[in-house]
Amino acid sequence: MKRRIAILGSTGSIGTQTLDVIRQHPDRFEVVLLSARRSVDLLIRQAVEFDAANVVICDEARYREVADALQSRDTKVWAGVDSLCELVAMSCVDIVVGAMVGFSGLRPTLAALRAGKIVALANKETLVAAGEVVTATARAHGGVLLPVDSEHSAIFQCLLAAGENPVEKVHLTASGGPFRTWEKQRIAGATAAQALRHPNWDMGAKVTIDSATMMNKGFEVIEARWLFDLAPEQIQVVVHPESVIHSMVEFADGAVIAQLGCPDMREPIGFALAFPERLTVGNKRLDFAALGSLSFEAPDTGRFPCLALAYEALRRGGNAPCALNAANEVAVAAYLKDLISFYDIAKIAERALAGMDFVANPSLEDIFETNREIAAIADGYLR
Ligand code: MG
């Protein structure tokens, strides 16, 4: 039986790499749904190549264009996020790959979990903004979250070797991003173009900027808290510039299990799609002798304050991580347009956290409300 895959955000970095894995294993997977926000041309090409049964263009204004192009085919074309939320629940979907960018992934992810689907989650903002609601929804409806983020896939793989033994802590590795060795003053003047040159990973623009500020690592700390039910103190970040160790788990006896590989997202994607089996995915293999050594250093929250802000939001709990994410989304979008400077991202996030209306046990409605409110407030800071 082929596994039937729905890809939310099929034209982005994770989406295209997911399709590359599927392309290598046509005997194992079938694409039943592709969706994109507005990359019409690529979405159409993907629909044709993979003979997708359903295609959703989230930007409703572009529906005609997609529908006309696919008119002669069996593919059904839909528009809008509401359609997406309905379609992920279809009985013909086995695995939903959550690869949308930012908060926009929350609704379709929840819809898939409510329908008891396996969600291979790359969209970490969903867990940052609403980790408690998302994990509770999965539990209540038999939905399953499988990590696609490389660090969390690594932890998941290490935990398979743990048996019943409790985790003492996890070590999340961080590349340190393009500004790891830069002085603070130089970082302050860094442009978006410079921040987009990530040394190891080929990723979308939003997550690449988040990597440069290390907000991405902070979000991954929050993501790990929810995926693996850990306390904030159990999650440590260590900078590891080679990105060869994808993360590690430490046990009561001091033993540490690590997962290693060349930095290539197709490896964690393939692991999530074929779990518990492993697939060939066309990635490079590690050459330890050529590698020579691996290095580690402590993260510097003086130069990368976003990491500390994420820990603070996680410790406060409630809707604080949601507020942090909302402010960050607005700030990163502005930074990508060269409207603000690098450290303005942290300043906007910090101001939003300080001024927010705290809710200790937010409902889903509270989460949407917080996201709306903080996005509007952060937008106001830009003016
Ligand atoms: Mg990651």
Side-chain angles (χ1 to χ4, degrees):
M1 279 278 282
K2 286 188 188 182
R3 289 191 178 176
R4 298 164 298 179
I5 313 292
I7 307 177
L8 314 184
S10 66
T11 58
S13 175
I14 294 292
T16 53
Q17 293 182 85
T18 300
L19 286 171
D20 187 52
V21 171
I22 293 174
R23 186 181 287 121
Q24 297 175 57
H25 298 280
D27 52 322
R28 304 187 61 130
F29 303 111
E30 181 185 341
V31 175
V32 290
L33 187 154
L34 295 171
S35 84
R37 193 168 35 155
R38 51 171 178 250
S39 301
V40 166
D41 295 341
L42 182 54
L43 182 64
I44 292 165
R45 284 204 302 280
Q46 291 176 339
V48 172
E49 180 187 346
F50 292 92
D51 198 19
N54 297 277
V55 159
V56 182
I57 181 78
C58 292
D59 180 351
E60 298 181 26
R62 303 185 188 210
Y63 169 77
R64 238 347 340 134
E65 213 179 319
V66 183
D68 288 349
L70 298 172
Q71 199 177 24
S72 62
R73 308 185 61 87
D74 288 339
T75 303
K76 289 200 189 85
V77 180
W78 313 77
V81 176
D82 288 343
S83 302
L84 193 55
C85 291
E86 279 175 40
L87 291 164
V88 293
M90 293 183 298
S91 60
C92 68
V93 173
D94 296 319
I95 301 180
V96 176
V97 177
M100 294 169 80
V101 176
F103 188 85
S104 67
L106 177 58
R107 280 185 58 216
T109 302
L110 283 171
L113 291 171
R114 271 190 216 109
K117 303 298 182 188
I118 297 169
V119 177
L121 191 70
N123 170 226
K124 68 195 77 178
E125 291 91 339
T126 283
L127 282 174
V128 171
E132 186 135 39
V133 173
V134 170
T135 50
T137 301
R139 275 194 305 275
H141 299 275
V144 175
L145 285 164
L146 288 179
V148 167
D149 209 347
S150 62
E151 295 78 359
H152 305 75
S153 177
I155 293 167
F156 179 54
Q157 293 178 54
C158 295
L159 290 176
L160 295 174
E164 298 297 304
N165 291 295
V167 170
E168 189 164 286
K169 61 174 78 147
V170 302
H171 301 269
L172 276 182
T173 52
S175 70
F179 307 140
R180 179 180 62 88
T181 60
W182 290 27
E183 300 281 338
K184 187 162 187 175
Q185 216 176 358
R186 190 171 165 218
I187 299 175
T191 63
Q194 289 171 313
L196 286 170
R197 279 182 224 128
H198 196 278
N200 303 346
W201 294 97
D202 175 17
M203 307 179 289
K206 162 72 166 51
V207 64
T208 306
I209 300 300
D210 285 344
S211 294
T213 63
M214 291 193 78
M215 184 67 92
N216 180 58
K217 206 50 55 179
F219 284 172
E220 288 181 355
V221 170
I222 299 171
E223 184 185 8
R225 182 262 172 272
W226 292 112
L227 281 175
F228 307 113
D229 195 20
L230 299 165
E233 314 75 65
Q234 287 178 291
I235 310 165
Q236 286 198 346
V237 173
V238 62
V239 175
H240 166 46
E242 296 87 358
S243 296
V244 164
I245 297 181
H246 296 154
S247 278
M248 305 175 260
V249 178
E250 185 171 341
F251 298 93
D253 58 358
V256 177
I257 298 183
Q259 189 264 331
L260 290 72
C262 288
D264 185 327
M265 286 308 297
R266 293 175 302 177
E267 184 225 287
I269 291 167
F271 192 69
L273 291 184
F275 179 78
E277 289 179 52
R278 289 179 184 274
L279 302 174
T280 56
V281 292
N283 54 350
K284 279 202 292 197
R285 299 306 166 100
L286 284 174
D287 179 340
F288 288 99
L291 207 54
S293 62
L294 297 175
S295 52
F296 305 92
E297 60 197 52
D300 179 356
T301 52
R303 286 182 303 137
F304 301 101
C306 287
L307 179 59
L309 288 175
Y311 267 106
E312 186 195 322
L314 176 58
R315 284 194 197 95
R316 281 174 72 185
N319 61 341
C322 175
L324 178 67
N325 177 66
N328 184 62
E329 282 195 23
V330 171
V332 169
Y335 181 66
L336 280 168
K337 291 183 200 146
D338 295 319
L339 298 175
I340 59 171
S341 70
F342 187 82
Y343 283 122
D344 285 339
I345 299 174
K347 279 185 207 143
I348 287 169
E350 189 172 12
R351 264 180 85 179
L353 268 186
M356 67 176 291
D357 290 325
F358 182 72
V359 181
N361 293 299
S363 65
L364 187 55
E365 290 68 36
D366 294 328
I367 294 292
F368 282 110
E369 180 65 18
T370 300
N371 184 64
R372 240 190 329 269
E373 256 181 40
I374 298 294
I377 289 169
D379 206 50
Y381 296 156
L382 303 174
R383 275 152 235 291

